[in-house]
Amino acid sequence: MRADILVLFLILAGVLYFTVFSFIATGSKEVRCRKKLNIITYIDLVFIGVVWILEMTGVLKLSNITGLMKYTFPYTIVVYAIFRIREIFPLFIKGEHLETALKYSRFIIRTLSVLVAAELFIFNFNSYHLIFGNYPVKELDLSTVTAWSKTKVTPDGLKLRCPKGALEEDIYEDKALFEIEGVDVPVGTIQFDLKQFNQTVETRIEVDFSDDSHSATFRTECGDVYVDRFDEKSSIMICNYSGNVHKLRFWVTMEEGERLTLSALRVNVPVPLVFSLKRVLFLFAVCMFIFYFKNSKVLAKEYDDTRSYCRTAAMIITAVMIWICTSAISNTALSADLIESFKCEEGNQLTQELVDAFEHGQFSLLEKPGDDLMALENPYDYSQRGDEGIDIVDYKWDHLLYNGKYYSYYGVAPVILFFLPYHLITGYYFPTNYAVLIFSVIGLCALGALYMTFISKWFKKLPAGAVLAGLLIIEYCSGIFTCNLRPQFYEASVACGFMFTTLGAYMMLKSNVIGDGKISIVRLLCSATFLALAVLSRPTLALYSVAAMFFIAGGVVKMYRSRKNGEDTYKSKSYPVKYFAAALIPFVICGSFQMFYNYSRFGSILDFGIQYSLTINDFTRSQYHTHFVMVGIYNYLFNCPALVPYFPFVKSEFQLLDINGYYFVDFLHIESVAIGLIYKALPLFAYAFLPVKAFRKSANKDKKYNMLLLIITCIAAPLVILISIWESGYAIRYLPDFAWQMIIGSLVLVFLMYNVKRNDEQVLTQKQEYQNIIIMRFMLVSVLVCVLLCSAQYYQYFDIAYKSPNLQIRANIIKRLFEFWR
């Protein structure tokens, strides 16, 4: 065995010993074990330190495995220092705090030890691929290459080029092809010294081979590699061939106009060991979160005793959600200069076309349909306008065509309140991406405030950890992030509706029309205004305005009971007048405007015009099919995800349920386009098991009315919205219309059952603590599943190939961080 390999194994043995030591030395017998292990530990530290110095100074080379000692020695020092610091904890920490400090330090030491060992032994196992075999390093002679498609042999290496038109003429389509013979050595790795041009970030290379077990022809479709121009390690492909390799054939995927240069091709180059501090810190943060959630005394306390802590934590959670939205929008910014981004001289259907129309005093758009469009037998028929991406006539996509004029189907609230005033004041059109961001930020803040108000009113005895877990699930599953990932006028409408709905719901709770406290006329007026504006943003949200009427009715009952009991709160004769005026006038005004708007365009107060859309389907002739409704409900709510061995480790297949008809699916090519909401938000399972039990065990005198509110607001209204989507097909951007409403209703049932148990005076304290543990662990699992599934869906939803190269670079870094076997 070579000396450098022997040193390598001694280092790995030392690290493994330190992992074992960290568990033994922090165990129940740590005092007795410390004396026995100290000598070995000091020897281990000295050995690792000496090797670290030798490698850092370049004296020692560990079989070309670079990066092994960069973090190994600092890690051992840190772990040993924490262990030593633990010994003096009793000198300045007393009582319960000492026990907590010892518990956390024990967990930190053990977790770091395991993670570093995993980093060296598991996450970098490819670095040991060539150690035990006879794999001589060899540079292949590129001058002997047999060049086929899009490949040219030059003195500087292989030039690979895909000129314009090549994809149509070449039988190999988008592949550059070449092969080389005379390898005649065992091959464990192949290194590509590839130079990429034209902003190419990642290049796929497929390799066919002929070895001793299959020498007459090539074995095909047996492996590939993605060479990232910003990741040197990605240029080395791991190979598992048998015996000597005789010849190799390479297929390089190229885009039109792309240029590549392969200056060298080497085999059996060792894979460098790259100690990823980011990966260690990420996994450590996940482990710390789980440990803290399970062991924190603060999170186990009741919300009523930790209000300040919960409010601060809620603001941090919402701030993280806002940061995610901002990060998504930053990749679609119109300009690197923020000020310049707000100086748009053109826009889309909402930000420009409707703005210009309103400024000219008309509801129809300024541009007129062309004669060729109007000459069609049926202009609403997509196949007559064009098909397969080729337009036969010129027309405006997804606009309404009625009586020879163009109109817009989308709600006018964002136009009247934001886009039109901005253009009148500045002369520029408001950027859609920042509009979506603003709507999303306000909506997330309102959603967080709504949830915390809901908790403070009815679930004060809930553990703080369960409260914060519920907030994270509601905000992360809301689906508003998809609007920021692809901010177009569709998403602007959805985000604006989300903002007004959450604001309206929050002000409705704060108005005290239900629950304790005096009814606030001002807040009720704000609630009605916001909910009415939500309808002017998205007509389908009118169902929540209908649901609001049941809350308003609850306020009427509340006033009636107060008067009947002789209380002075609502004795004023003018109070009911103010109440009904605040509750109903905003709906009357906005509803009247919408009816006037509809009548002025289509001659009917109830005609919103969607059937006149110039889109993929002819809505004037499309028929209702219950199968289409079931497709939407299944994929939005029940489509089961599957775990797969590649990042982001989750996929789902959209299910058409054998409908034998046309059903539109937005971004069908994305593997996680449809993950059932019931899996992303596990509390939704409560709808299947808890409603009847929660109703029967509730001691609330208004439990029938409260259950009615839950059914209407959190079940009936969202389901009707889901049913109404059948005509438009499936698009994940519709989630903010119904997702958070359904989740908050399920949490009501989960929390209500917990409240019933806690309020039962006959329940023993031990049983209460057991129930506390159950709900905390259930919410912890729910958070972890929510983050995994939602993150996978959001990651795949954003079609990186059509966005900025910078985003693809960052996405590749994340992907390679977890796909350590590549």
Side-chain angles (χ1 to χ4, degrees):
M1 181 181 289
R2 300 198 309 267
D4 59 341
I5 295 180
L6 177 61
V7 174
L8 172 65
F9 276 102
L10 288 175
I11 293 170
L12 295 177
V15 173
L16 183 60
Y17 161 77
F18 229 85
T19 303
V20 176
F21 164 77
S22 66
F23 274 82
I24 297 176
T26 57
S28 58
K29 300 179 181 179
E30 57 181 88
V31 176
R32 191 179 69 183
C33 293
R34 185 189 311 134
K35 297 177 181 179
K36 297 180 180 180
L37 296 175
N38 266 348
I39 297 177
I40 304 175
T41 304
Y42 288 137
I43 294 173
D44 193 21
L45 280 172
V46 171
F47 171 72
I48 293 176
V50 170
V51 176
W52 179 74
I53 294 172
L54 293 177
E55 190 190 42
M56 296 299 287
T57 56
V59 175
L60 180 66
K61 297 291 185 183
L62 298 177
S63 188
N64 291 327
I65 300 181
T66 59
L68 176 63
M69 298 304 300
K70 186 176 181 180
Y71 295 105
T72 300
F73 182 59
Y75 146 74
T76 55
I77 292 295
V78 169
V79 171
Y80 194 69
I82 295 175
F83 172 72
R84 286 304 182 191
I85 291 173
R86 292 179 81 248
E87 295 180 343
I88 62 174
F89 278 177
L91 299 179
F92 54 90
I93 303 177
K94 304 295 182 182
E96 294 183 1
H97 297 293
L98 175 60
E99 182 183 350
T100 302
L102 291 174
K103 181 191 294 186
Y104 276 83
S105 62
R106 182 187 302 117
F107 177 78
I108 290 172
I109 291 173
R110 292 180 173 184
T111 303
L112 283 177
S113 299
V114 171
L115 290 178
V116 172
E119 187 69 29
L120 297 178
F121 290 103
I122 298 176
F123 297 138
N124 279 284
F125 77 97
N126 281 331
S127 299
Y128 311 106
H129 183 62
L130 304 179
I131 287 180
F132 296 106
N134 180 24
Y135 293 104
V137 177
K138 180 178 181 179
E139 182 164 345
L140 304 182
D141 187 0
L142 295 182
S143 64
T144 64
V145 162
T146 302
W148 296 94
S149 169
K150 307 178 185 65
T151 305
K152 182 179 180 182
V153 181
T154 70
D156 298 328
L158 298 183
K159 302 291 185 183
L160 288 76
R161 186 176 181 184
C162 183
K164 292 195 180 220
L167 300 186
E168 300 176 3
E169 301 171 359
D170 202 315
I171 60 171
Y172 297 110
E173 297 179 345
D174 60 345
K175 310 281 188 186
L177 174 62
F178 61 93
E179 61 183 62
I180 186 168
E181 299 183 359
V183 180
D184 298 330
V185 293
V187 174
T189 65
I190 303 175
Q191 184 185 45
F192 302 89
D193 191 349
L194 190 68
K195 185 175 182 181
Q196 296 145 312
F197 301 91
N198 300 341
Q199 299 299 314
T200 302
V201 175
E202 193 175 58
T203 301
R204 184 190 183 199
I205 303 177
E206 301 164 84
V207 181
D208 302 334
F209 65 93
S210 168
D211 62 8
D212 285 345
S213 67
H214 192 90
S215 58
T217 59
F218 284 106
R219 289 192 184 272
T220 61
E221 299 181 358
C222 289
D224 61 3
V225 65
Y226 288 83
V227 179
D228 188 329
R229 66 189 300 179
F230 299 98
D231 183 3
E232 182 180 353
K233 189 176 179 179
S234 70
S235 65
I236 301 177
M237 177 181 178
I238 305 297
C239 304
N240 296 282
Y241 306 148
S242 299
N244 288 341
V245 172
H246 307 297
K247 52 186 178 180
L248 296 167
R249 182 168 63 193
F250 303 90
W251 303 80
V252 184
T253 302
M254 304 185 68
E255 295 181 2
E256 218 171 34
E258 188 173 357
R259 293 185 299 121
L260 304 171
T261 298
L262 182 65
S263 55
L265 192 62
R266 306 178 187 90
V267 297
N268 301 325
V269 174
V271 178
L273 187 149
V274 180
F275 191 103
S276 175
L277 185 59
K278 291 180 180 178
R279 180 165 49 215
V280 171
L281 292 178
F282 173 81
L283 295 175
F284 178 75
V286 172
C287 294
M288 278 301 300
F289 169 77
I290 296 173
F291 181 80
Y292 178 75
F293 197 94
K294 290 179 61 178
N295 296 276
S296 172
K297 294 181 179 179
V298 177
L299 293 180
K301 290 182 179 180
E302 294 178 354
Y303 168 81
D304 210 20
D305 298 328
T306 57
R307 283 177 179 263
S308 178
Y309 174 86
C310 287
R311 287 170 181 169
T312 303
M315 287 189 288
I316 293 174
I317 291 172
T318 303
V320 171
M321 300 300 166
I322 292 173
W323 172 78
I324 295 173
C325 289
T326 306
S327 300
I329 287 292
S330 66
N331 297 298
T332 61
L334 302 178
S335 170
D337 186 348
L338 181 63
I339 302 299
E340 290 299 318
S341 296
F342 284 86
K343 295 182 179 180
C344 302
E345 297 185 354
E346 57 183 20
N348 54 42
Q349 189 175 152
L350 280 180
T351 60
Q352 179 182 4
E353 295 174 19
L354 271 175
V355 167
D356 291 344
F358 288 176
E359 287 183 358
H360 283 75
Q362 62 187 63
F363 292 147
S364 62
L365 305 184
L366 300 185
E367 186 173 339
K368 304 295 183 182
D371 294 337
D372 53 351
L373 176 64
M374 301 305 299
L376 294 177
E377 178 184 354
N378 180 13
Y380 304 111
D381 188 336
Y382 181 43
S383 63
Q384 293 188 27
R385 301 194 310 270
D387 207 351
E388 298 181 356
I390 301 175
D391 293 337
I392 300 173
V393 299
D394 185 28
Y395 68 97
K396 297 186 75 65
W397 174 260
D398 216 354
H399 288 58
L400 304 182
L401 177 65
Y402 183 77
N403 281 348
K405 295 180 181 180
Y406 281 128
Y407 295 93
S408 174
Y409 164 73
Y410 296 93
V412 296
V415 178
I416 296 173
L417 297 177
F418 300 101
F419 303 143
L420 179 59
Y422 183 81
H423 186 258
L424 291 173
I425 295 171
T426 67
Y428 296 106
Y429 299 106
F430 202 94
T432 307
N433 50 359
Y434 287 112
V436 172
L437 177 62
I438 292 171
F439 298 154
S440 301
V441 168
I442 297 174
L444 283 170
C445 292
L447 181 57
L450 163 68
Y451 175 78
M452 297 306 291
T453 301
F454 154 77
I455 293 295
S456 64
K457 276 181 172 290
W458 292 289
F459 297 103
K460 299 176 184 179
K461 301 299 182 182
L462 202 66
V467 170
L468 297 176
L471 174 63
L472 191 151
I473 292 171
I474 286 177
E475 291 191 337
Y476 205 45
C477 288
S478 66
I480 193 61
F481 305 101
T482 61
C483 295
N484 292 269
L485 290 171
R486 193 189 65 174
Q488 299 179 3
F489 61 88
Y490 307 98
E491 288 75 18
S493 175
V494 172
C496 190
F498 170 75
M499 175 185 69
F500 283 129
T501 305
T502 52
L503 283 171
Y506 167 65
M507 295 308 296
M508 182 66 75
L509 277 190
K510 292 293 287 184
S511 70
N512 297 322
V513 292
I514 60 172
D516 298 330
K518 182 181 178 181
I519 296 175
S520 170
I521 296 296
V522 174
R523 290 172 180 171
L524 180 60
L525 175 64
C526 292
S527 174
T529 302
F530 289 138
L531 290 174
L533 289 174
V535 181
L536 288 182
S537 302
R538 280 183 63 73
T540 54
L541 299 179
L543 288 163
Y544 297 116
S545 294
V546 174
M549 296 303 161
F550 289 86
F551 284 83
I552 294 170
V556 174
V557 173
K558 186 175 182 178
M559 288 189 295
Y560 172 76
R561 287 177 177 175
S562 176
R563 286 191 171 193
K564 187 177 180 180
N565 294 334
E567 299 175 4
D568 297 332
T569 309
Y570 309 109
K571 251 188 172 183
S572 171
K573 292 182 179 180
S574 62
Y575 197 92
V577 176
K578 294 178 183 178
Y579 180 86
F580 284 110
L584 301 178
I585 286 179
F587 291 111
V588 172
I589 293 175
C590 293
S592 299
F593 174 79
Q594 183 67 63
M595 289 188 288
F596 170 72
Y597 186 56
N598 290 347
Y599 185 82
S600 300
R601 295 181 300 166
F602 311 119
S604 171
I605 61 174
L606 299 179
D607 191 350
F608 289 87
I610 188 173
Q611 68 269 28
Y612 310 122
S613 298
L614 299 180
T615 182
I616 54 173
N617 205 11
D618 181 0
F619 292 141
T620 64
R621 301 186 182 184
S622 61
Q623 296 180 349
Y624 168 82
H625 298 285
T626 304
H627 286 78
F628 288 176
V629 173
M630 299 310 298
V631 169
I633 291 176
Y634 179 83
N635 285 283
Y636 277 118
L637 299 182
F638 304 110
N639 195 14
C640 186
L643 296 178
V644 291
Y646 51 86
F647 190 80
F649 310 117
V650 174
K651 69 174 291 186
S652 64
E653 294 183 4
F654 190 89
Q655 302 297 327
L656 286 171
L657 306 182
D658 296 326
I659 58 174
N660 294 321
Y662 176 72
Y663 186 90
F664 172 72
V665 183
D666 190 31
F667 280 89
L668 181 59
H669 66 282
I670 298 175
E671 288 189 334
S672 291
V673 67
I675 297 179
L677 186 62
I678 197 170
Y679 302 104
K680 293 187 290 186
L682 294 181
L684 285 173
F685 279 98
Y687 285 127
F689 304 105
L690 299 182
V692 176
K693 185 180 289 187
F695 177 76
R696 288 177 178 173
K697 295 199 173 188
S698 175
N700 192 311
K701 63 180 180 180
D702 294 324
K703 63 180 183 181
K704 290 184 179 179
Y705 170 70
N706 293 335
M707 190 59 69
L708 177 65
L709 290 180
L710 186 145
I711 292 172
I712 292 173
T713 307
C714 303
I715 301 177
L719 282 178
V720 173
I721 289 176
L722 264 178
I723 293 172
S724 69
I725 292 174
W726 73 269
E727 198 169 28
S728 301
Y730 178 92
I732 195 174
R733 63 173 176 265
Y734 297 140
L735 278 176
D737 291 345
F738 59 85
W740 64 268
Q741 295 90 332
M742 300 185 76
I743 296 172
I744 203 168
S746 66
L747 287 174
V748 168
L749 296 176
V750 173
F751 296 164
L752 186 59
M753 286 302 299
Y754 177 83
N755 262 11
V756 168
K757 295 293 186 183
R758 298 289 291 184
N759 293 331
D760 188 346
E761 295 179 358
Q762 296 180 354
V763 177
L764 299 177
T765 302
Q766 185 177 1
K767 192 171 182 181
Q768 289 179 346
E769 292 178 356
Y770 174 74
Q771 290 159 355
N772 198 54
I773 293 173
I774 291 296
I775 191 171
M776 288 289 283
R777 292 188 176 178
F778 171 72
M779 295 305 292
L780 173 61
V781 172
S782 298
V783 165
L784 296 176
V785 172
C786 165
V787 172
L788 172 64
L789 297 185
C790 290
S791 298
Q793 190 173 39
Y794 296 151
Y795 177 88
Q796 294 187 14
Y797 177 81
F798 196 18
D799 196 355
I800 297 169
Y802 297 99
K803 300 299 177 182
S804 66
N806 290 334
L807 177 63
Q808 188 173 356
I809 293 169
R810 291 199 291 271
N812 286 346
I813 292 173
I814 296 173
K815 181 166 61 175
R816 294 182 187 280
L817 201 64
F818 297 100
E819 287 187 350
F820 56 88
W821 53 86
R822 292 186 61 178

